[in-house]
């Protein structure tokens, strides 16, 4: 598994190592907008709590460069934070943004003058800034491990944010009992770029592959997922009704997608989409009926639990060699993907 934590996004992909050090195609993928940039946003939230929302808004609106300098200076200093030393702290000198002194309220000004305009950001404060982002990345790794079809032997941590020791330590503490090797390259921030160049060079002289224009599906494909509404039927106390996405004998073109919209329940933090197939053309029954077989499961994370207007697009894409299940959160653009082999006689 590659966990690439960049400035804006965290991307997780799983590949299988074949003989002669060749990599098989991606079998699972997650993308979420939870990179190191969110640390900056949590730091600004901390400043709002200490100096007032109005003061930070005015600084951002009128003197954005000074706010940017404060954020950059903070991030550079806490990059050595590991989480091991509880005496670790960072002293933030507010006078590095002198205009801010004019924006704070009189009450806050009096408090700040008593401490010489220096805020001590202590261990628990820094942890509080880091943890919402780190917890989110750890949750994504758990979901990715669930979606993997085989046990994961190695996790590679790459990207700008993976330079951070606290993130590394949290991931190692969480998964070392489950994954044999958790490795960080010498230059994790450059690993993805180097790999992209190597991959590009390796495919420059690849032979053209035969393209299939269209073909007929030999199975009906659908999904079971756990949802509740007034018109849903239950079976033995649980919902396992087969929801058809594409019917048998449908003519499909390469990489054609069949999808539907799903709205999570309030406070729902995860979802599992179980994909099934059957030789029946029309099916109005349940996924545990004879002749209905499970292809696989795509597990997804629903981190934006505080929002009621979430909308998930789930779809199956029928490629040349594999079926791709993809779920995309339309609100925060988070994506989850897993690939599955075609049933033997539908390829």
């Amino acid at each position: 598994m590659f966990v690439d934590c960049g400035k804006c996004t965290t991307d997780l992909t799983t590949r299988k190592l074949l003989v002669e050090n060749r990599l098989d195609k991606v079998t699972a993928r997650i993308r979420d907008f939870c990179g190191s940039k969110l640390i900056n946003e949590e730091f600004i939230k901390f400043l709002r709590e200490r100096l007032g929302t109005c003061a930070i808004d005015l600084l951002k609106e009128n003197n954005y460069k000074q706010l940017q300098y404060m954020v950059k200076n903070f991030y550079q200093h806490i990059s050595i934070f590991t989480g091991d030393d509880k005496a670790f702290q960072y002293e933030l000198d507010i006078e590095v943004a002198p205009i801010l002194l004019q924006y704070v309220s009189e009450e806050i000004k009096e408090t700040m003058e008593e401490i010489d305009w220096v805020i001590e950001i202590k261990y628990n404060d820094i942890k509080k800034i880091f943890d919402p982002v780190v917890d989110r990345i750890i949750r994504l790794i758990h979901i990715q491990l669930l979606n993997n079809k085989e046990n994961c032997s190695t996790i590679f941590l790459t990207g700008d944010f993976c330079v951070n020791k606290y993130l590394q330590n949290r991931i190692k503490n969480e998964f070392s009992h489950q994954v044999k090797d958790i490795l960080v390259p010498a230059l994790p921030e450059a690993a993805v770029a180097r790999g992209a160049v190597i991959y590009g060079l390796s495919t420059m002289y690849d032979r053209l592959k035969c393209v299939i224009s269209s073909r007929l599906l030999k199975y009906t494909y659908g999904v079971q997922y756990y949802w509740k509404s007034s018109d849903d039927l239950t079976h033995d106390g649980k919902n396992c009704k087969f929801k058809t996405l594409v019917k048998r004998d449908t003519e499909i073109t390469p990489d054609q997608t069949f999808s539907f919209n799903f709205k999570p329940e309030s406070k729902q933090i995860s979802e599992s989409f179980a994909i099934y197939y059957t030789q029946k053309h029309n099916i109005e029954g349940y996924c545990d009926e004879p002749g209905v077989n499970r292809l696989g499961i795509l597990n997804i994370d629903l981190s934006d639990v505080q929002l009621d207007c979430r909308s998930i697009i789930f779809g199956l894409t029928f490629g040349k060699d594999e079926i791709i299940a993809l779920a995309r959160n339309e609100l925060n653009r988070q994506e989850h993907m897993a690939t599955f082999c075609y049933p033997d006689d539908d390829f």
Side-chain angles (χ1 to χ4, degrees), residues 175-236:
F175 298 104
S176 58
H177 69 285
Q178 190 175 356
V179 180
K180 181 182 177 182
D181 295 309
I182 300 176
L183 308 175
V184 185
L187 292 172
E189 65 274 29
V192 173
R194 290 177 173 178
V197 172
I198 293 170
Y199 177 78
L201 291 173
S202 69
T203 57
M204 281 179 63
Y205 303 105
D206 195 15
R207 294 181 179 179
L208 293 175
K209 296 179 179 179
C210 177
V211 177
I212 300 175
S213 58
S214 66
R215 62 189 181 87
L216 297 179
L217 288 178
K218 296 180 181 178
Y219 290 102
T220 294
Y221 291 88
V223 66
Q224 168 202 349
Y225 68 106
Y226 299 95
W227 73 99
K228 294 179 181 178
S229 69
S230 58
D231 59 346
D232 284 331
L233 300 177
T234 58
H235 182 58
D236 292 334

Side-chain angles (χ1 to χ4, degrees), residues 47-323:
L47 292 178
R48 292 181 188 279
E49 293 172 357
R50 293 299 181 92
L51 300 171
T53 297
C54 182
I56 299 303
D57 285 344
L58 288 170
L59 181 66
K60 185 176 182 179
E61 182 179 347
N62 301 321
N63 306 89
Y64 184 68
K65 285 186 178 180
Q66 289 191 19
L67 177 62
Q68 212 172 20
Y69 178 79
M70 290 177 68
V71 171
K72 184 178 179 181
N73 203 35
F74 167 77
Y75 191 80
Q76 287 176 341
H77 279 83
I78 53 89
S79 61
I80 60 173
F81 178 68
T82 65
D84 296 328
D85 181 9
K86 294 193 176 181
F88 185 93
Q89 65 178 36
Y90 167 66
E91 290 189 350
L92 173 64
D93 187 351
I94 302 301
E95 293 184 345
V96 298
I99 197 68
L100 187 57
L101 280 62
Q102 302 176 23
Y103 296 150
V104 298
S105 67
E106 288 299 322
E107 182 182 355
I108 292 176
K109 186 179 293 185
E110 289 179 9
T111 303
M112 294 306 301
E113 286 174 349
E114 291 176 2
I115 57 175
D116 296 326
W117 293 93
V118 174
I119 298 177
E120 290 185 353
I121 306 180
K122 299 183 178 180
Y123 173 87
N124 286 334
D125 297 320
I126 297 173
K127 218 175 157 299
K128 187 178 177 182
I129 290 171
F130 269 97
D131 281 347
V133 186
V134 175
D135 289 346
R136 195 162 158 183
I137 292 171
I138 286 175
R139 190 164 60 245
L140 292 176
I141 296 174
H142 276 295
I143 293 289
Q144 183 79 342
L145 289 171
L146 282 175
N147 285 332
N148 288 339
K149 300 171 187 63
E150 299 179 49
N151 291 332
C152 180
S153 62
T154 307
I155 291 177
F156 289 99
L157 303 179
T158 63
D160 294 335
F161 191 23
C162 279
V163 175
N164 184 268
K165 295 293 184 181
Y166 181 64
L167 175 62
Q168 293 178 18
N169 291 344
R170 285 285 310 276
I171 291 175
K172 288 177 180 178
N173 290 338
E174 184 77 15
F175 298 104
S176 58
H177 69 285
Q178 190 175 356
V179 180
K180 181 182 177 182
D181 295 309
I182 300 176
L183 308 175
V184 185
L187 292 172
E189 65 274 29
V192 173
R194 290 177 173 178
V197 172
I198 293 170
Y199 177 78
L201 291 173
S202 69
T203 57
M204 281 179 63
Y205 303 105
D206 195 15
R207 294 181 179 179
L208 293 175
K209 296 179 179 179
C210 177
V211 177
I212 300 175
S213 58
S214 66
R215 62 189 181 87
L216 297 179
L217 288 178
K218 296 180 181 178
Y219 290 102
T220 294
Y221 291 88
V223 66
Q224 168 202 349
Y225 68 106
Y226 299 95
W227 73 99
K228 294 179 181 178
S229 69
S230 58
D231 59 346
D232 284 331
L233 300 177
T234 58
H235 182 58
D236 292 334
K238 64 180 181 179
N239 191 321
C240 64
K241 194 175 180 182
F242 186 96
K243 180 179 181 65
T244 300
L245 287 182
V246 56
K247 292 183 178 181
R248 174 184 172 180
D249 297 328
T250 298
E251 183 177 0
I252 62 168
T253 55
D255 299 325
Q256 187 172 355
T257 299
F258 298 86
S259 61
F260 75 101
N261 185 273
F262 161 68
K263 295 189 179 298
E265 294 181 11
S266 176
K267 298 181 180 180
Q268 186 176 350
I269 62 172
S270 63
E271 182 59 83
S272 294
F273 293 93
I275 302 120
Y276 286 82
Y277 64 96
T278 178
Q279 288 188 333
K280 299 176 182 178
H281 189 271
N282 293 306
I283 177 168
E284 300 295 334
Y286 299 94
C287 295
D288 57 357
E289 289 184 0
V292 180
N293 305 293
R294 192 168 77 180
L295 183 70
I297 295 178
L298 176 65
N299 299 283
I300 71 169
D301 173 59
L302 297 169
S303 57
D304 48 356
V305 292
Q306 72 279 13
L307 301 172
D308 293 327
C309 54
R310 296 176 294 174
S311 176
I312 309 297
I313 299 294
F314 175 87
L316 294 180
T317 300
F318 294 87
K320 177 179 177 295
D321 301 316
E322 62 199 3
I323 299 172

